């Protein structure tokens, strides 16, 4: 049984540094497991912390709990910080108040609740090494191994023929994720269960790739336009080497849905970042990732004579066409009516990965797991973490496509056909695009 309360000295140290901890602390599975192993957190406490949707909220909830978890909680927390390579925060907590020498606003912070924004910015956190973390391969969790770092030898042998990727941060990343839709304005668009997993996965991986990530959830089509316009106009683009834009929603060919059921045309999005409309990003790589359907059709493929036996698709797999409970016949009929036909313009220094195929006669649905997120984002996350150290982004997207093709199961409503999903990408890159993760050249 834990004794009630933490000693006053340690309690004051947490309060004194609470503002910095809320901003810089990374509360991940490894840190939580360490505190659980020391019986500082119960399972229900750990679940409540990790259920928070933002890094700051997880940090704040943990900091509220620690002072109530007994006299050993402080030392266990410091040990967990060391294990998760947050030694600088451990040092901050253990230094004397006299050495700190900084004004704090603990009373104001402690007396207020955390804000509940739908959009936030996350600075790149600490660098991690492959040896310090374990692979998280829980069947209901995305892979969470740290991004593997680029080596100096690889950088020097490839930097001349590649886009410059030296700035820190590498650039700004915008993630727009529509999960819930207005039931009155868009009655046919179902909630994208698992969509919230995708935007958190993207936030984490691009933060580790040294991008400043802004996440915006549940925007109307007009709000999406305004958000993208504001992002394009950021003067800070002048000082960075690239940018990333991720759009996650229901969609059709050439457009994605806002929460109000109105469509945002992808052609307009790409135009907003071209050389004329976004001059601060001229000659810099602009990466787009679109997790949305390009129609309602399922690409059911054909049976392979020497292929493996069919296996049932997990019951939590859904489509991202927005009408997840109806049959494919109705879907095909709807897909042929009023679908915008927008061709991706060939603008320089852009690469766009789509979650599903665009075909001449059929546009396919994108698959999403309600617990682990979409197939495309799952595989993109895994590939970026494991391959970006020495693999061109185009080759990464090729491998993403290959891994998605390996996911087999029954297509909903077509019990005798194997469903094969495929992603695709388009590119107008002028040079090789390597992300050179965690490498900063020494001048």
């Amino acid at each position: 049984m834990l004794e009630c309360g933490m000693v006053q000295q340690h309690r004051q140290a947490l309060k004194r540094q609470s503002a910095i901890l809320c901003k810089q602390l990374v509360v991940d599975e490894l840190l939580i497991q360490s505190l659980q192993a020391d019986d500082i957190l119960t399972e229900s406490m750990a679940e409540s912390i990790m259920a928070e949707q933002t890094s700051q909220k997880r940090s704040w909830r943990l900091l509220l709990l620690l002072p109530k978890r007994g006299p050993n909680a402080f030392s266990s927390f410091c040990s967990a910080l060391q294990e998760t390579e947050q030694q600088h925060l451990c040092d901050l907590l253990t230094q004397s108040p006299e050495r700190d020498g900084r004004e704090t606003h603990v009373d104001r912070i402690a007396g207020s609740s955390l804000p509940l924004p739908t959009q936030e910015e996350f600075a790149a956190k600490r660098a991690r090494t492959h040896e310090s973390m374990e692979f998280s391969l829980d069947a209901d969790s995305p892979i969470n191994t740290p991004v593997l770092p680029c080596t100096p030898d690889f950088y020097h042998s490839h930097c001349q023929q590649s886009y410059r990727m030296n700035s820190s941060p590498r650039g700004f990343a915008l993630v727009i994720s529509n999960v819930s839709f207005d039931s009155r304005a868009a009655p046919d668009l179902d909630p994208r269960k698992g969509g919230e997993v995708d935007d958190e996965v993207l936030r984490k991986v691009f933060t580790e790739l040294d991008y400043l990530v802004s996440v915006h959830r549940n925007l109307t089509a007009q709000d999406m336009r305004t958000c993208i316009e504001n992002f394009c106009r950021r003067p800070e683009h002048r000082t960075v080497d690239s940018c990333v834009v991720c759009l996650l929603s229901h969609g059709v060919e050439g457009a994605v849905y806002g929460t109000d059921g109105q469509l945002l045309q992808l052609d307009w999005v790409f135009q907003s970042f071209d050389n004329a409309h976004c001059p601060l990003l001229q000659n810099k790589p602009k990466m787009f990732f679109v997790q949305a359907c390009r129609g309602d059709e399922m690409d059911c493929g054909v049976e392979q004579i020497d292929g493996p036996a069919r296996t049932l698709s997990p019951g939590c797999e859904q489509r991202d066409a927005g009408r997840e409970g109806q049959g494919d016949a109705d879907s095909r009929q709807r897909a042929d009516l009023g679908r915008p036909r927008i061709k991706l313009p060939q603008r320089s220094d852009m690469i766009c990965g789509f979650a599903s195929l665009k075909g001449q006669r059929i546009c396919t649905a994108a698959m999403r797991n309600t617990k682990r997120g979409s197939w495309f984002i799952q595989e993109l996350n895994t590939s970026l973490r494991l391959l970006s150290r020495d693999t061109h982004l185009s080759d990464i997207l090729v491998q993403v496509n290959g891994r998605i093709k390996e996911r087999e199961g029954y297509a909903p409503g077509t019990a005798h056909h194997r469903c094969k999903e495929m992603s695709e990408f388009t590119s107008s890159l002028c040079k090789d695009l390597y992300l050179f993760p965690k490498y900063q050249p020494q001048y």
Side-chain angles (χ1 to χ4, degrees):
M1 186 76 178
L2 283 172
E3 295 180 33
C4 251
M6 180 184 287
V7 299
Q8 186 66 18
Q9 176 185 355
H10 295 157
R11 185 190 298 267
Q12 288 300 321
L14 286 175
K15 290 179 67 176
R16 189 167 57 249
Q17 307 299 348
S18 59
I20 296 175
L21 288 170
C22 273
K23 184 177 181 181
Q24 298 185 13
L25 177 63
V26 176
V27 180
D28 56 16
E29 292 85 354
L30 189 59
L31 184 138
I32 293 297
Q33 289 170 6
S34 178
L35 293 173
Q36 282 185 276
D38 290 344
D39 293 325
I40 302 302
L41 296 178
T42 64
E43 185 174 350
S44 61
M45 289 175 180
E47 289 176 354
S48 69
I49 291 170
M50 297 307 293
E52 295 290 352
Q53 295 178 351
T54 71
S55 179
Q56 286 187 333
K57 290 180 189 177
R58 286 194 290 271
S59 300
W60 185 249
R61 182 175 285 273
L62 175 59
L63 293 176
L64 289 177
L65 284 171
L66 283 176
K68 307 172 186 177
R69 301 303 298 160
N72 297 326
F74 185 82
S75 60
S76 293
F77 180 51
C78 289
S79 296
L81 290 175
Q82 292 172 331
E83 291 176 13
T84 55
E85 296 189 5
Q86 302 184 78
Q87 180 67 48
H88 65 294
L89 295 179
C90 178
D91 295 340
L92 193 69
L93 288 171
T94 54
Q95 70 184 9
S96 65
E98 293 77 13
R99 288 178 55 195
D100 186 2
R102 285 188 293 270
E103 292 286 336
T104 60
H105 303 278
V106 174
D107 295 336
R108 177 178 58 81
I109 295 170
S112 64
S113 60
L114 277 178
L116 300 174
T118 58
Q119 57 197 39
E120 327 173 312
E121 223 167 72
F122 300 85
K125 308 289 185 180
R126 68 191 187 278
R128 298 181 179 177
T129 61
H130 178 55
E131 293 78 16
S132 67
M133 295 284 288
E134 296 178 352
F135 284 82
S136 175
L137 295 176
D138 182 353
D140 288 332
S141 301
I143 185 174
N144 199 32
T145 183
V147 170
L148 300 182
C150 169
T151 64
D153 287 345
F154 182 83
Y155 174 82
H156 289 297
S157 62
H158 289 78
C159 64
Q160 295 300 320
Q161 66 269 30
S162 305
Y163 284 99
R164 175 185 170 89
M165 201 67 74
N166 295 341
S167 64
S168 185
R170 292 285 192 262
F172 297 93
L174 172 66
V175 179
I176 296 178
S177 175
N178 290 337
V179 177
S180 302
F181 295 80
D182 189 328
S183 59
R184 291 174 296 180
D188 290 334
L189 298 181
D190 299 324
R192 296 180 60 254
K193 297 176 183 178
E196 66 281 356
V197 178
D198 283 345
D199 59 60
E200 177 66 4
V201 164
L202 291 170
R203 180 194 70 78
K204 285 182 177 179
V205 69
F206 281 110
T207 294
E208 288 193 50
L209 286 166
D210 200 15
Y211 285 84
L212 293 177
V213 185
S214 300
V215 179
H216 300 248
R217 269 198 190 164
N218 298 332
L219 303 184
T220 65
Q222 182 55 49
D223 288 341
M224 293 167 73
R225 288 178 66 98
T226 301
C227 180
I228 290 170
E229 287 173 343
N230 292 338
F231 182 77
C232 289
R233 294 171 184 160
R234 293 191 66 159
E236 300 94 331
H237 285 309
R238 183 186 305 275
T239 62
V240 297
D241 290 338
S242 62
C243 85
V244 175
V245 177
C246 305
L247 302 176
L248 293 73
S249 187
H250 290 305
V252 293
E253 170 55 24
V256 294
Y257 282 104
T259 56
D260 56 351
Q262 300 300 307
L263 287 169
L264 176 70
Q265 300 295 332
L266 293 179
D267 180 68
W268 177 87
V269 176
F270 301 129
Q271 184 181 38
S272 300
F273 288 88
D274 68 17
N275 293 328
H277 293 86
C278 193
L280 295 182
L281 287 172
Q282 287 181 3
N283 302 313
K284 299 177 182 180
K286 293 163 278 285
M287 293 161 270
F288 300 87
F289 302 98
V290 181
Q291 169 55 45
C293 286
R294 306 174 80 180
D296 287 354
E297 289 281 359
M298 299 297 300
D299 179 5
C300 295
V302 296
E303 296 290 346
Q304 297 182 51
I305 296 175
D306 59 348
R310 290 193 299 267
T311 56
L312 285 174
S313 180
C316 51
E317 305 297 347
Q318 297 181 339
R319 291 175 294 166
D320 254 348
R323 304 164 178 90
E324 294 160 350
Q326 302 182 27
D328 285 341
D330 291 340
S331 296
R332 282 192 294 271
Q333 191 173 17
R334 282 193 303 270
D336 290 333
L337 298 176
R339 179 168 58 231
R341 297 284 183 175
I342 304 296
K343 183 180 289 187
L344 179 68
Q346 293 300 305
R347 300 182 172 101
S348 67
D349 312 304
M350 292 184 180
I351 184 168
C352 182
F354 293 94
S356 56
L357 281 175
K358 173 186 175 183
Q360 293 181 344
R361 299 179 58 188
I362 129 180
C363 296
T364 56
M367 298 300 292
R368 173 170 34 82
N369 184 289
T370 58
K371 293 183 178 180
R372 286 172 285 178
S374 66
W375 291 6
F376 176 62
I377 300 300
Q378 289 177 53
E379 299 301 346
L380 179 65
N381 170 60
T382 300
S383 297
L384 285 173
R385 289 181 175 278
L386 301 180
L387 303 176
S388 61
R389 65 185 305 186
D390 58 6
T391 307
H392 191 293
L393 184 61
S394 295
D395 294 330
I396 288 176
L397 291 176
V398 168
Q399 296 200 38
V400 167
N401 182 48
R403 291 171 66 94
I404 292 176
K405 285 171 63 178
E406 293 173 359
R407 292 173 177 256
E408 296 181 354
Y410 292 116
T414 57
H416 298 292
H417 294 86
R418 179 178 296 127
C419 166
K420 287 198 171 183
E421 260 317 284
M422 291 183 68
S423 62
E424 71 172 4
F425 70 94
T426 60
S427 174
S428 61
L429 296 177
C430 303
K431 300 179 182 178
D432 293 340
L433 177 52
Y434 293 98
L435 298 178
F436 299 128
K438 301 184 180 180
Y439 181 77
Q440 292 299 326
Q442 302 298 317
Y443 296 109

